[in-house]
Amino acid sequence: MIQGKSGYFGTRRGFLRRIGAVLAASALPGLPRLWPVAVSPPEFPFELVPPEVNGITWTHRNGRSPEMYLPETVGAGCGFIDYDNDGWMDLYLVNSGKCDFLDPNPPLRNALYHNNRDGTFTDVTEKTGVPGSGYGMGVAVGDYDGDGFPDLLVTQYNGVILYHNNGNGTFTDVTRKAGLPATGWASSAVWFDYDNDGKLDLFICRFVDFDKSKNKFCGNQETGDRYYCIPRVYDPMPSWLFHNNGDGTFTDVSQESGIAKSLGKAWGVVACDINNDGRMDLFVANDTVANFLFLNRGNGKFDEIGLQANVGYSAEGHARSGMGVDAADYDQDGWVDLFVTNVDREMYSLYHNNHDESFDDMAIPNGIGRVTRLMSGWGVKYFDYDNDGNLDLFLANGHPDDKIEEHSTEVKYCEPMLLFRGTGKRFEDISGSSGPVFTKPYASRGMAVGDFNNDGALDILVAVNNGAPLLVKNNAGRHNHWLGVKLVAKQANPDAIGAVITWQAGDLKRSIFKTGGGSYLASHDPRLILGIGARPKIDWVEIKWPMPSGRVERFADLPIDKYITLSEGRGTKV
């Protein structure tokens, strides 16, 4: 295999096509060609799979009104979930719906699409019982009861819904039984085990204090022309932390944990271990107030250290409009780095971990600051799109004000998506050469990554505000070798959130952290894809399982270019 990033010119097939085209073009007039030449159109790293091909006919509707209620412009979310455990990722899409300012007729609903294993999907929402019941925001997937089937949490402008997976292709709404909130503006959420007891707990981002009666006028007072308010005009609220009791119920521990002390306007959240102490911390993006970095001190307590960690404010000391977040060790120094998206004229932030519970913003040296200066970001994800072993970065963008172009000549409402290639140390913008899907602007919001066709290349699902979702197929990853890993924990939490995975393939050695959540209103494919480039074999994979186990195991004699399951206790102890 000829290793390369482009997908088309980086494969042997692409190389031969190119040579054939050159030979055909250079043939002398009047002389027969030695063989017929058919030149195919170039295969770009990413391509949009249209609805007429994938079968997804559902569309997000925001219920936009003359009063321009703030929830209208910030949805929607999306996620990957293998709800029937058949090894193929299904899709969940979140819609708006009935609330105090909207009563749509006909009613709106969310959608669960079953993967038909042939590149198409079938709507099974009604059959499975997960239509939603309010004005939806996002989705978080996790096996909270440890029965082996992923459960579904839907966040809404009016509370949350917890759908328990019955294991037979259906779900049951257990929100009230579980003790979760049915009121309050919930945005992103994350399943993670904060106390290392082996059960998944739940953090729910809460946005501002808002309802129909509190809607404010933002716009031109003389003409009466309205636009969507900047959230600074609304009061902040505390987010929620729920402890898993192990019996299907949860206890609100927001106060005693210290989470409720910090009032925010929270959008995105990612659970990760920023100081390598074996406890999961939380990085939370806030809109118009400082971002939060909740450091897990153990004994059920969190300290908010965003200011001293240099992730709360901009370098100039200003609170920005944080929306999407993610965490990964992009430079392979053994410490998790952070990312947060903001609105136009604020730039996005690439926070490098200094190994001392502080970070430096490296967005400008990496060119990310320049590219995103006039953009507004929502979904964001670190992932290795081409399976060369280095983490890349994908961004879904769009301005929150659909009237922005009436009073700005530089900023657009719909914006293109961005792809940055990682070298292992730095990032470079390759959006322009990665396919036509990066040239068209969208009102993108939630974004999740997952391998819907099981070819080892992580694809992308983007939720579009007041529009059809985008399913973006990855053509690049399958041109390098890879190993797909599903982790099954026994003592640790069922989803192995917090595990550290290290692998060796010849001269390549890499590690990744299994984080919880990340992006914006989204839930990702829980499987991990370990890229090894053109190397023909993988020597071993080492798993450091989360506490309370904490054991380190090595697995050898592994295949490549396929998915496998690695279970806690089945490897060789290291």
Side-chain angles (χ1 to χ4, degrees):
M1 178 172 291
I2 300 170
Q3 188 176 6
K5 290 273 183 180
S6 68
Y8 175 55
F9 296 118
T11 65
R12 181 178 289 110
R13 182 179 61 181
F15 177 74
L16 291 175
R17 285 176 177 167
R18 195 178 177 199
I19 293 297
V22 171
L23 291 174
S26 61
L28 294 175
L31 294 179
R33 292 190 178 98
L34 296 178
W35 66 84
V37 176
V39 181
S40 302
E43 178 187 84
F44 291 100
F46 287 91
E47 66 174 300
L48 183 65
V49 184
E52 57 268 25
V53 173
N54 62 41
I56 301 172
T57 59
W58 177 95
T59 299
H60 177 258
R61 298 299 181 198
N62 63 12
R64 189 185 188 282
S65 62
E67 290 77 15
M68 302 194 81
Y69 297 106
L70 189 55
E72 295 169 359
T73 191
V74 296
C78 60
F80 287 92
I81 175 175
D82 181 11
Y83 77 94
D84 55 354
N85 279 351
D86 67 351
W88 294 75
M89 284 293 127
D90 311 301
L91 311 179
Y92 193 75
L93 302 162
V94 183
N95 214 340
S96 307
K98 187 174 182 179
C99 64
D100 58 354
F101 63 81
L102 179 66
D103 189 6
N105 186 22
L108 300 174
R109 65 167 176 82
N110 303 340
L112 176 61
Y113 275 91
H114 180 260
N115 192 327
N116 299 326
R117 310 185 192 185
D118 60 0
T120 68
F121 295 83
T122 299
D123 190 335
V124 293
T125 313
E126 299 301 331
K127 182 170 68 174
T128 55
V130 289
S133 62
Y135 199 101
M137 287 282 126
V139 55
V141 176
D143 181 10
Y144 75 88
D145 59 349
D147 65 355
F149 288 89
D151 306 299
L152 187 64
L153 182 91
V154 180
T155 61
Q156 303 180 132
Y157 155 66
N158 38 0
V160 304
I161 306 173
L162 178 60
Y163 287 115
H164 176 260
N165 191 328
N166 300 320
N168 60 1
T170 68
F171 292 79
T172 300
D173 182 346
V174 295
T175 314
R176 289 185 178 275
K177 174 186 174 184
L180 297 181
T183 60
W185 188 343
S187 52
S188 294
V190 59
W191 296 99
F192 76 122
D193 181 10
Y194 77 88
D195 56 351
N196 286 335
D197 66 352
K199 298 186 292 291
L200 286 176
D201 309 301
L202 179 63
F203 179 90
I204 304 173
C205 290
R206 192 172 181 185
F207 199 51
V208 297
D209 183 16
F210 179 90
D211 61 39
K212 181 179 180 180
S213 68
K214 297 173 183 175
N215 194 45
K216 299 181 185 295
F217 179 90
C218 295
N220 189 319
Q221 293 283 359
E222 294 183 1
T223 64
D225 186 36
R226 305 182 74 127
Y227 55 79
Y228 288 113
C229 290
I230 297 174
R232 69 170 55 97
V233 303
Y234 295 106
D235 293 332
M237 298 295 288
S239 290
W240 291 295
L241 179 64
F242 287 91
H243 178 259
N244 188 333
N245 299 323
D247 60 359
T249 68
F250 294 82
T251 298
D252 186 344
V253 294
S254 309
Q255 292 290 340
E256 52 265 50
S257 65
I259 294 294
K261 293 179 183 177
S262 301
L263 302 183
K265 303 176 183 181
W267 279 138
V269 60
V270 62
C272 58
D273 181 5
I274 66 110
N275 56 2
N276 289 339
D277 66 354
R279 295 187 290 262
M280 298 297 283
D281 312 301
L282 295 165
F283 182 46
V284 180
N286 280 314
D287 197 339
T288 69
V289 298
N291 299 323
F292 296 148
L293 181 55
F294 288 114
L295 200 65
N296 189 337
R297 296 300 191 188
N299 299 317
K301 304 294 184 183
F302 288 82
D303 286 340
E304 200 290 291
I305 64 164
L307 175 61
Q308 53 266 47
N310 299 325
V311 299
Y313 297 90
S314 70
E316 295 76 27
H318 302 303
R320 293 185 284 185
S321 301
M323 293 181 287
V325 295
D326 201 24
D329 178 14
Y330 75 84
D331 62 348
Q332 289 295 296
D333 66 352
W335 297 75
V336 167
D337 310 298
L338 305 174
F339 197 97
V340 61
T341 62
N342 300 296
V343 299
D344 61 287
R345 295 182 174 85
E346 293 181 346
M347 297 190 298
Y348 307 171
S349 287
L350 171 68
Y351 288 118
H352 180 260
N353 194 323
N354 294 327
H355 312 174
D356 60 0
E357 299 181 1
S358 74
F359 296 78
D360 285 333
D361 191 346
M362 303 301 291
I364 292 178
N366 278 272
I368 294 171
R370 176 185 56 81
V371 174
T372 62
R373 189 180 71 84
L374 294 176
M375 303 187 77
S376 299
W378 304 84
V380 53
K381 195 74 177 78
Y382 289 107
F383 72 106
D384 181 6
Y385 86 90
D386 55 356
N387 287 333
D388 69 347
N390 296 322
L391 286 174
D392 311 298
L393 186 65
F394 187 93
L395 296 159
N397 310 290
H399 200 276
D401 180 8
D402 62 0
K403 293 186 177 181
I404 186 65
E405 292 167 50
E406 296 179 10
H407 47 88
S408 174
T409 58
E410 295 182 299
V411 179
K412 305 296 183 183
Y413 174 61
C414 293
E415 299 174 348
M417 297 177 286
L418 294 172
L419 178 64
F420 288 85
R421 180 178 62 186
T423 65
K425 297 295 180 183
R426 298 177 58 81
F427 290 96
E428 60 175 320
D429 181 10
I430 59 166
S431 312
S433 60
S434 297
V437 68
F438 290 94
T439 64
K440 185 177 179 181
Y442 299 95
S444 301
R445 297 294 186 263
M447 182 270 288
V449 301
D451 183 7
F452 78 86
N453 56 1
N454 280 352
D455 66 351
L458 281 170
D459 310 297
I460 300 163
L461 179 66
V462 180
V464 174
N465 185 261
N466 209 41
L470 309 174
L471 184 62
V472 183
K473 180 184 174 184
N474 180 345
N475 294 319
R478 57 188 169 84
H479 296 307
N480 276 323
H481 293 304
W482 55 278
L483 175 65
V485 175
K486 177 182 179 180
L487 297 182
V488 176
K490 300 299 182 181
Q491 296 180 32
N493 68 84
D495 294 352
I497 302 299
V500 182
I501 302 91
T502 304
W503 67 101
Q504 179 94 40
D507 63 331
L508 179 77
K509 185 177 181 181
R510 291 289 186 267
S511 291
I512 55 174
F513 295 79
K514 188 169 186 187
T515 57
S519 194
Y520 173 82
L521 307 181
S523 190
H524 309 285
D525 188 334
R527 301 172 298 179
L528 302 164
I529 297 180
L530 316 181
I532 60 173
R535 298 163 186 86
K537 67 184 292 277
I538 193 163
D539 301 323
W540 49 261
V541 174
E542 192 173 281
I543 310 294
K544 181 181 179 181
W545 296 94
M547 299 296 287
S549 164
R551 74 171 75 193
V552 180
E553 295 179 306
R554 180 169 290 189
F555 298 82
D557 300 319
L558 300 171
I560 60 171
D561 301 336
K562 67 179 297 184
Y563 282 97
I564 63 172
T565 297
L566 298 181
S567 297
E568 183 180 7
R570 296 292 183 90
T572 302
K573 294 187 71 173
V574 177

